[in-house]
Amino acid sequence: MKGDVVPPARCSVLTMRSLAIDTHSDTSSTRRSGQLTREISSESIERLQMANNFAHIPVLASEVTDFFAHLPVGVVVDATLGGGGHAELILSANPNVRLLGIDRDAVARSAASSRLARFGERVRVSAGTFGELRDIRENAADFVGTDPIVGVLADLGVSSPQLDDPTRGFSFREDAPLDMRMDSSTGFTAAELITTLDARELTQLLREHGEGRFAPAIARAVIATAPQTTGELVAAVERAVPMGARRRGHVATRVFQALRVRVNDEEGQLEAMLSGALDLLAPEGVLVVISYHSGEDKVVKAQLATAATGGCTCPVALGCVCGAVPRVRLLKASAIMASDEEIAQNPRARSARLRVAWKVPA
Ligand SMILES: C[S@@+](CC[C@H](N)C(=O)[O-])C[C@H]1O[C@@H](n2cnc3c(N)ncnc32)[C@H](O)[C@@H]1O
């Protein structure tokens, strides 16, 4: 555990060191999962400098803090550490807990390491995907030990710095290589993904993300172009959608979202994270999930609803006769959303939906 996070004062050198620490944890993890391979040498100086300027405002900060502030002694897993904004609030609010922060993005981990340095051995910053949450007792055995997992936080999607870094290819606002990987060291870029899809498959993907009657035309235009940059992708979408038929917002919003979700296997990751978290949580532990689009929220809502009924499908009028045992209680019946004040300060909060579940004692 020693030195998992580093003091923020000596920025560039120490950022390197924190990455070295990540790489160490990667090395041990790599033996278990090929997905966790990292190369510190692939970090550019620009990336390291960016990590020191990681500007991401944590959404629903006071609501999140409240859910974690009174947990008993144990480990909280921040499955989407990002720049460590929520993690810092949780560690400050609750001296009982230690925090294991996971992120697949090296820049985020580096920024979080600096930000959380003052918490010393109460924090572990770890590389990996939250789809592997179920294995953390093994993957982070030296940190978690036999302590109960008293909380899991998942603040889904991308961070502001990922969106704002023009080299990452997440944003239609900048012309950049069409990449979109949260972990730039592994997997297929969006440009490569497009070359593996036919028009029918891409149409289907776009429809799943809310693209309507122009989905087939967009799919054909995108495949014919085989875009290598975000600018080329935007141009292909613009060619396919007549000006008069465009909805509010940017014409390529849903196309970018659809490709990002597929490139990062966000749906598979979410399902695996939710089921891993429900199994891992100690009795009376809390699971907080913040999602940013309806597809994500639908999955979270459905999986938590099933856990809350124990899978019972007996007609409500008859009452439960199947003997299903609820695994969680939903602490709020519907999703918590940001206030107008928060949205005014942080427009990203507009689409946030927070759902929270409490693990029922066995
Ligand atoms: C919205 S940001 C989290 C911001 C953080 N709560 C904060 O306050 O700074 C989401 C983070 O989750 C990470 N992420 C997304 N999907 C992931 C996955 N499947 N496994 C691990 N990290 C993931 C992204 O790289 C990003 O840094």
Side-chain angles (χ1 to χ4, degrees):
M1 264 304 294
K2 270 204 175 100
D4 274 349
V5 287
V6 289
R10 293 156 54 206
C11 282
S12 55
V13 175
L14 289 167
T15 304
M16 287 288 281
R17 200 175 139 225
S18 71
L19 285 171
I21 291 158
D22 268 336
T23 306
H24 169 76
S25 70
D26 291 344
T27 310
S28 55
S29 303
T30 304
R31 285 194 288 274
R32 293 181 280 274
S33 166
Q35 279 216 324
L36 294 177
T37 308
R38 304 281 190 284
E39 285 297 329
I40 191 171
S41 57
S42 69
E43 295 297 338
S44 67
I45 295 299
E46 289 77 13
R47 286 276 162 90
L48 294 174
Q49 283 166 345
M50 265 210 56
N52 292 327
N53 298 321
F54 199 96
H56 178 93
I57 305 172
V59 303
L60 294 164
S62 63
E63 291 83 350
V64 169
T65 309
D66 284 351
F67 287 121
F68 289 91
H70 306 290
L71 294 174
V73 171
V75 173
V76 167
V77 180
D78 184 343
T80 52
L81 184 63
H86 283 126
E88 184 176 38
L89 293 166
I90 293 167
L91 286 160
S92 302
N94 189 343
N96 288 330
V97 299
R98 297 184 297 124
L99 185 137
L100 173 66
I102 302 170
D103 207 292
R104 70 201 307 190
D105 184 319
V107 178
R109 295 195 303 275
S110 180
S113 292
S114 295
R115 184 174 195 161
L116 303 176
R118 68 190 169 97
F119 297 102
E121 297 197 0
R122 289 180 63 204
V123 184
R124 164 70 59 90
V125 175
S126 190
T129 65
F130 58 56
E132 298 159 291
L133 199 65
R134 181 181 298 285
D135 301 326
I136 58 159
R137 281 210 178 273
E138 188 192 336
N139 291 349
D142 57 333
F143 182 76
V144 178
T146 55
D147 280 6
I149 307 294
V150 292
V152 175
L153 169 66
D155 176 22
L156 304 172
V158 281
S159 64
S160 305
Q162 284 169 330
L163 278 174
D164 294 343
D165 179 353
T167 67
R168 305 291 297 263
F170 285 111
S171 172
F172 40 71
R173 298 188 202 289
E174 309 274 356
D175 193 18
L178 190 55
D179 190 323
M180 297 198 193
R181 289 170 300 164
M182 292 184 199
D183 176 353
S184 314
S185 71
T186 188
F188 294 107
T189 66
E192 288 164 341
L193 169 71
I194 288 167
T195 65
T196 70
L197 299 174
D198 63 27
R200 190 183 51 78
E201 290 165 331
L202 185 52
T203 301
Q204 167 74 15
L205 176 63
L206 298 178
R207 287 203 165 121
E208 284 165 16
H209 287 269
E211 204 51 74
R213 65 190 166 112
F214 290 102
I218 296 171
R220 283 194 301 275
V222 169
I223 284 170
T225 311
Q228 296 301 304
T229 66
T230 52
E232 288 170 9
L233 177 59
V234 170
V237 177
E238 285 174 344
R239 272 198 301 282
V241 184
M243 193 67 89
R246 293 183 192 173
R247 295 183 275 203
R248 270 183 55 212
H250 195 285
V251 65
T253 301
R254 287 178 182 76
V255 177
F256 271 70
Q257 179 181 294
L259 291 172
R260 190 203 84 204
V261 166
R262 182 62 65 86
V263 162
N264 294 289
D265 183 27
E266 291 181 37
E267 288 166 359
Q269 285 284 313
L270 178 57
E271 301 256 5
M273 185 276 292
L274 290 169
S275 95
L278 290 170
D279 286 350
L280 267 181
L281 268 181
E284 306 191 22
V286 291
L287 168 62
V288 172
V289 186
I290 307 173
S291 51
Y292 292 89
H293 62 81
S294 56
E296 268 174 358
D297 185 51
K298 216 164 127 184
V299 172
V300 177
K301 185 178 174 186
Q303 211 152 323
L304 293 186
T306 302
T309 61
C312 172
T313 53
C314 301
V316 180
L318 293 181
C320 176
V321 291
C322 70
V325 180
R327 301 182 68 203
V328 299
R329 185 182 304 157
L330 304 181
L331 294 185
K332 298 278 174 188
S334 50
I336 298 174
M337 291 159 71
S339 64
D340 291 345
E341 293 75 36
E342 178 173 355
I343 293 167
Q345 283 170 7
N346 180 13
R348 194 172 172 277
R350 183 183 304 280
S351 49
R353 303 277 181 281
L354 183 154
R355 294 189 185 272
V356 55
W358 180 80
K359 183 98 175 253
V360 174

